[in-house]
Amino acid sequence: MMDGNVNTASMGEMNDQAGLEALVADLGSGNVIDAELLEGCSVEAHELDEMGPEEAAQVAAHCFATLFGQTVESAQGSEADADAGRWAGTLDGFGFVISRDDLGDLVLDFSGPAS
């Protein structure tokens, strides 16, 4: 006999996830990390150039929450190359890359979750 209580996301949760994915696709790239975006972050602006993967994940999670109003449950940094100006990782399945642009600013880009 099959139990009707299968572990699946409710319709509201699926719509919320789809809405978040659409929001990230629309607004998730080209975000300059400035003092306003970093306000309240555990990593301070003067620490950005020397951050490791964990700090990069903290910065990305803070920015994600600020930009999209979504608390991050799982943040993982996978790459940190301060010399190249590139940091990367994942936040609740969404990818993030922090890179230094031609003007010297750090720019944060998010990508949708891997399928």
Side-chain angles (χ1 to χ4, degrees):
M1 186 162 111
M2 302 234 14
D3 185 357
N5 294 326
V6 178
N7 279 340
T8 59
S10 72
M11 196 63 132
E13 289 171 348
M14 287 190 303
N15 287 340
D16 289 347
Q17 182 66 23
L20 180 59
E21 289 176 18
L23 191 59
V24 169
D26 285 346
L27 304 174
S29 62
N31 297 290
V32 174
I33 300 175
D34 59 12
E36 184 179 347
L37 190 55
L38 273 181
E39 188 173 323
C41 184
S42 61
V43 178
E44 296 183 28
H46 70 273
E47 300 173 309
L48 294 177
D49 287 329
E50 300 303 320
M51 63 185 164
E54 296 82 20
E55 292 86 7
Q58 290 172 10
V59 169
H62 173 81
C63 294
F64 192 89
T66 300
L67 292 168
F68 305 118
Q70 185 77 24
T71 302
V72 174
E73 301 293 325
S74 173
Q76 275 193 309
S78 60
E79 178 185 337
D81 187 339
D83 292 335
R86 181 177 163 78
W87 298 263
T90 58
L91 308 171
D92 291 344
F94 289 90
F96 76 85
V97 174
I98 300 171
S99 58
R100 187 163 307 286
D101 69 8
D102 294 338
L103 300 174
D105 293 324
L106 290 180
V107 178
L108 176 57
D109 296 311
F110 295 104
S111 58
S115 313

